[in-house]
Each structure stands twice: as C-alpha cells, then as structure tokens.
Amino acid sequence: MSNYRRENYGQKKFSQTAAVPVRILFREDTYVDEAENVIKKLKGSNFRHGKDNLTTSQIRNLLSLISTIFNDLSFKEVSQLTDKLSYLRIQIVYQSGRNAAVKDLVETGQILKLLEQVQTTKDKKTLVRFCHYFEALVAYFKYYGGQDK
C-alpha cells in the first residue's frame, strides 16, 4: 500500500474518462446513423475500458431481452409491457456496473435515456424504434470488428 491511500485501496483505476454521449436525435430518419456513430466512437478505444472489453455476447444478451419485448408488441400494448421494460432497465444498469466497456456503450449511446423516453411516452412507434436502434448498435459493432474474446 505504499503508493495508495487507504481509501483508494482496491479501487479500479482507468486511464479513460467517462464516456461522452454522441448527439442522438432518435428520429426515424436518423437513428441508424446515430447507432453507427456510437459504435465508431467506441471503436476509437478498441471497444475497451481499462481491463474490460465490450463483447458481442454482452450486448446480444441485452438484445435478447429487447427482442422478447419487441415480439410481445404484436399482441400487447406498450402500457402492458411496463414490467418488462423496467426489468430491461435493471439489466442494463446491472451489466453496466459489471463491465466498464458496457457502461461506455450505455452512456455513449444514451440507452437509458432512450428507454426512459419509451417508458414515458408509452408509444408503440418509439418502442419499435428503440428496439431497432439497439439492433443497429449490435450490427455495427460486428461490422466494425467487435468480437467475443
């Protein structure tokens, strides 16, 4: 503990600063390009934050929850999916806490803010756009070289 103060002992130190969000308008005509810009920004750090990597498995696990909600839209209203949307939010927060690179994705892509918008508006089009936005993030992640390691 020679170089560490007692209160800092055991804490992770990262050389990077917190993720800076990309400007997200989240409109029908912009969300795909915005997803690409988020991934391009994260690619600059090689999809890493400190020792943590962003992997396809991590974001596909979140995508599977989102896909379940998307599938439920064919026979339910958005207002009936409140519990699933809340659970999705919890999972996003949990995965962000476990892995700094996932947190970078969530913050840069403003995923929690957009999910809150979906929950507030309770609009089907907005929820569909959110699902497609997240799917675009996964697609561009693979396109720009994101891998499982």
Side-chain angles (χ1 to χ4, degrees):
M1 284 206 296
S2 60
N3 292 339
Y4 292 101
R5 300 177 94 179
R6 239 182 228 288
E7 62 269 10
N8 294 334
Y9 185 72
Q11 293 180 357
K12 291 183 181 178
K13 295 199 177 223
F14 295 112
S15 60
Q16 295 172 299
T17 57
V20 177
V22 171
R23 186 165 185 237
I24 307 278
L25 300 174
F26 197 55
R27 295 189 322 234
E28 289 177 9
D29 60 335
T30 62
Y31 76 90
V32 174
D33 294 329
E34 292 163 352
E36 181 179 18
N37 291 336
V38 167
I39 297 302
K40 281 181 177 178
K41 181 165 179 49
L42 294 174
K43 187 177 190 251
S45 64
N46 211 17
F47 305 116
R48 292 181 60 85
H49 188 124
K51 293 179 182 178
D52 293 335
N53 289 322
L54 182 63
T55 65
T56 305
S57 294
Q58 291 164 331
I59 56 178
R60 283 192 60 84
N61 287 339
L62 294 174
L63 179 63
S64 71
L65 293 171
I66 292 169
S67 295
T68 301
I69 293 169
F70 181 76
N71 292 337
D72 286 348
L73 272 175
S74 58
F75 56 92
K76 291 183 179 178
E77 294 296 318
V78 177
S79 59
Q80 295 173 302
L81 299 172
T82 303
D83 284 346
K84 286 189 177 190
L85 291 169
S86 294
Y87 182 73
L88 173 63
R89 190 164 131 201
I90 291 167
Q91 284 300 309
I92 290 170
V93 169
Y94 176 70
Q95 294 302 326
S96 296
R98 289 187 67 209
N99 185 302
V102 173
K103 186 174 183 179
D104 284 349
L105 172 68
V106 169
E107 290 177 351
T108 305
Q110 301 176 33
I111 294 168
L112 289 174
K113 178 183 170 189
L114 297 176
L115 184 56
E116 182 181 325
Q117 183 179 338
V118 167
Q119 289 181 296
T120 303
T121 61
K122 293 184 170 91
D123 177 49
K124 187 174 185 172
K125 277 187 174 183
T126 306
L127 178 53
V128 168
R129 190 176 322 126
F130 175 79
C131 295
H132 289 167
Y133 171 72
F134 202 89
E135 191 173 359
L137 288 170
V138 175
Y140 279 114
F141 178 74
K142 282 303 275 185
Y143 181 78
Y144 284 109
Q147 303 174 26
D148 268 343
K149 291 185 179 177

